[in-house]
Amino acid sequence: MELKGNELTLIKKIKEYKNIIIAKHVSPDWDTQGSAYGLREIILKNFENKNVYVVGEKLNLALREEDESKLNKDIISSSLLITVDVANFDRVDFYFKNEVKEVFKIDHHLEVDEFAENKIVDVSAIACTQVITLWANQLNLKITKDAATYLYFGLITDSGRFLFEKTNGSTFQAAKILLEAGVIITEIYSQLFLKKLKLAKWHNKAFNMAKFYNINQIAFIKVKTKIFKDLDLGEEEIKSALTVLSGIEEVKIWALAYKTVGSNKVKLSIRSREFDINSVAVKYNGGGHKLASGAKLDSWRQLNSLINDLNNLIE
Ligand code: AMP
């Protein structure tokens, strides 16, 4: 396979820097976390004498990555910052992102913010972990079983278990590479898809809370702060109730919005099988992909206008 300049530049940059910080996006999901942990493992196992720090919030835990406490001014100012799975600089989950020496972006989102001079961005990839897996493979880097496991987490979740539209030959090529590196898929699936009764009950409740608009073509679950608090679930778990609205023939666009305790914004997730919901998400401080986007509403009062905009996509 032909190597493009950027792929070699990433190797060059990794070699050049002793201190490398890897940052995820805010409200992390498995694609950003798998990318960060997988890439850390690849760097540590293939390059000597590197300090690699993963920063940001941990998935489903209201905790920061332990590596953050190991950083200091000197390390930060001499670091290469690699951002994974994040399109906009303001969504990069690192307090000192403006103080690093250089930024390298690895991503698969539509490009909305050109914050790094050097980057590997493949918008045709279903997952950022796909981009990292294929990059490492092309460069003949060793992918250990641990790295492969982290990367597979991102691949399987962002592709909706290989169901979503952008799943393509390269996705299966990445899956092949990761399986051959030792991934045990049944272990990953039981970690990801076996749910606790509490979560199953939330999904059931969420379905009953759903409101349907425009002859059932739009479905919406609204999770107010009090409900969010009472549920005692992580943000990703709350958001996972989106799946109860997917795969329903009549429902063309579905969404879930929640307000966490202490936040003044409403976090919104929108999905569709066919309509370009990203064009609506960008109107509400959001973005993402054509069929899977997120956004932030200033208040619940914007809900009617949002539903109007979604209606307009269908009409
Ligand atoms: P989510 O609904 O949070 O799972 O996000 C779906 C996709 O949209 C992911 O690829 C996110 O990275 C992206 N996304 C979510 N929220 C935002 C936002 N406020 N701005 C830009 N992209 C977003």
Side-chain angles (χ1 to χ4, degrees):
M1 195 173 291
E2 192 200 337
L3 285 177
K4 285 185 244 126
N6 303 348
E7 282 141 4
L8 293 171
T9 305
L10 180 55
I11 292 284
K12 196 173 132 240
K13 293 290 167 195
I14 291 171
K15 285 185 180 157
E16 200 176 308
Y17 283 84
K18 180 172 170 56
N19 294 321
I20 298 169
I21 299 172
I22 305 176
K24 309 180 261 188
H25 61 68
V26 291
S27 303
D29 56 13
W30 256 120
D31 195 27
T32 199
Q33 183 146 306
S35 293
Y37 291 3
L39 182 62
R40 170 170 58 190
E41 176 75 7
I42 289 172
I43 297 173
L44 289 175
K45 291 286 160 20
N46 289 278
F47 301 88
E48 279 174 10
N49 249 334
K50 300 286 162 196
N51 301 320
V52 186
Y53 307 90
V54 172
V55 295
E57 189 185 315
K58 287 187 177 183
L59 174 62
N60 273 334
L61 299 167
L63 294 172
R64 308 290 300 176
E65 292 286 349
E66 286 88 8
D67 284 357
E68 285 192 355
S69 61
K70 300 178 192 154
L71 295 173
N72 60 40
K73 263 191 155 165
D74 289 343
I75 298 176
I76 294 168
S77 62
S78 63
S79 280
L80 169 69
L81 172 67
I82 304 179
T83 64
V84 288
D85 193 37
V86 46
N88 326 46
F89 199 56
D90 61 356
R91 296 190 74 239
V92 173
D93 191 2
F94 181 41
Y95 301 133
F96 307 104
K97 58 193 172 196
N98 288 308
E99 291 163 38
V100 297
K101 187 134 185 235
E102 188 172 352
V103 183
F104 195 106
K105 180 192 208 184
I106 307 180
D107 194 22
H108 70 127
H109 291 95
L110 299 168
E111 280 245 66
V112 284
D113 182 358
E114 308 239 340
F115 61 80
E117 192 189 325
N118 292 308
K119 61 195 169 195
I120 300 177
V121 177
D122 180 359
V123 295
S124 74
I126 191 84
C128 187
T129 62
Q130 175 176 318
V131 180
I132 293 170
T133 304
L134 296 178
W135 164 79
N137 185 59
Q138 280 169 31
L139 273 298
N140 289 322
L141 298 175
K142 178 165 176 50
I143 303 178
T144 63
K145 181 184 170 194
D146 281 353
T149 303
Y150 291 132
L151 295 166
Y152 197 84
F153 267 105
L155 196 66
I156 202 69
T157 49
D158 256 33
S159 68
R161 309 184 206 185
F162 304 125
L163 283 176
F164 298 157
E165 197 188 27
K166 282 207 290 187
T167 301
N168 59 19
S170 301
T171 315
F172 286 108
Q173 195 197 343
K176 177 176 186 286
I177 293 164
L178 298 176
L179 284 178
E180 288 174 357
V183 162
I184 301 174
I185 51 174
T186 45
E187 282 176 11
I188 295 183
Y189 294 163
S190 51
Q191 208 176 317
L192 280 175
F193 305 125
L194 258 189
K195 55 186 169 192
K196 292 259 192 268
L197 183 61
K198 185 168 140 182
L199 194 62
K201 284 187 175 172
W202 159 233
H203 285 181
N204 191 33
K205 180 179 163 123
F207 189 80
N208 288 315
M209 281 164 58
K211 293 229 158 54
F212 296 86
Y213 304 88
N214 194 354
I215 343 172
N216 298 327
Q217 293 187 97
I218 293 177
F220 206 100
I221 298 170
K222 178 174 171 183
V223 187
K224 290 189 142 187
T225 315
K226 161 113 181 58
I227 300 174
F228 186 95
K229 201 170 150 210
D230 290 349
L231 282 168
D232 191 26
L233 293 167
E235 280 188 48
E236 278 296 307
E237 290 172 315
I238 298 277
K239 210 173 72 182
S240 68
L242 267 174
T243 57
V244 304
L245 299 176
S246 68
I248 301 173
E249 196 178 337
E250 293 87 339
V251 178
K252 309 290 186 210
I253 297 175
W254 58 103
L256 180 148
Y258 60 87
K259 198 164 174 210
T260 57
V261 185
S263 161
N264 55 357
K265 298 270 185 204
V266 173
K267 172 84 178 61
L268 173 74
S269 289
I270 322 173
R271 304 287 187 266
S272 177
R273 284 182 298 277
E274 58 199 294
F275 294 103
D276 177 13
I277 40 106
N278 186 62
S279 62
V280 172
V282 292
K283 277 183 71 180
Y284 297 87
N285 283 315
H289 310 278
K290 183 181 159 206
L291 304 177
S293 286
K296 278 194 177 123
L297 305 181
D298 294 327
S299 84
W300 291 115
R301 283 192 295 279
Q302 283 184 294
L303 219 54
N304 282 343
S305 119
L306 172 83
I307 289 177
N308 249 335
D309 288 338
L310 295 176
N311 268 329
N312 289 338
L313 282 181
I314 294 176
E315 308 277 76

